[in-house]
Amino acid sequence: MKRFLALKASAGSGKTFALTVRYITLLLLGARPKEILTLTFTNKAANEMSERIYNTLLNLGEDEAYLNEIAKQSNLTKEKILEKKKFLLICIQMQLYQYLPLINL
């Protein structure tokens, strides 16, 4: 996985899908949210992206497109992704980001 990623494309081209997959993949691989820099042009877009990431993680497993792409990018099995998803959701919901590196255990 590339260390840095910049996406520039027209509306409806899949940028949000790609960025959501990338962000969740980084979390699954042990990155802390405060270590991931995401930039948008408006606060509204930032809030929408945050909601999309959380909702995608919450429903991960129901949408095969997201699960397949995350598995491809992370080299994790779908089963491992879904197992780690539970821990990520607990950490996010409780805002205990300092524990995210433990998902590699």
Side-chain angles (χ1 to χ4, degrees):
M1 177 179 287
K2 292 180 182 180
R3 184 168 179 180
F4 302 103
L5 174 70
L7 294 177
K8 181 181 176 183
S10 60
S13 62
K15 293 183 301 294
T16 302
F17 176 86
L19 289 171
T20 301
V21 166
R22 171 83 172 192
Y23 196 95
I24 292 172
T25 298
L26 289 170
L27 291 177
L28 290 167
L29 295 176
R32 293 180 179 191
K34 68 180 183 178
E35 297 172 336
I36 303 171
L37 174 65
T38 55
L39 302 172
T40 63
F41 288 104
T42 66
N43 288 333
K44 180 183 176 188
N47 289 332
E48 289 172 1
M49 179 58 69
S50 180
E51 287 177 23
R52 173 72 71 92
I53 290 167
Y54 179 75
N55 289 329
T56 299
L57 186 58
L58 188 64
N59 298 306
L60 194 59
E62 296 173 20
D63 186 335
E64 284 293 315
Y66 277 103
L67 188 56
N68 288 336
E69 191 60 29
I70 291 169
K72 180 179 170 185
Q73 287 193 26
S74 67
N75 292 318
L76 296 171
T77 65
K78 292 179 184 180
E79 294 77 18
K80 190 68 172 176
I81 291 168
L82 295 175
E83 177 185 317
K84 289 183 173 202
K85 164 195 160 176
K86 294 174 187 174
F87 184 78
L88 283 175
L89 284 170
I90 291 168
C91 290
I92 290 168
Q93 290 166 345
M94 297 178 69
Q95 297 182 359
L96 297 175
Y97 300 129
Q98 67 267 25
Y99 297 112
L100 283 175
L102 296 176
I103 69 170
N104 291 322
L105 296 177

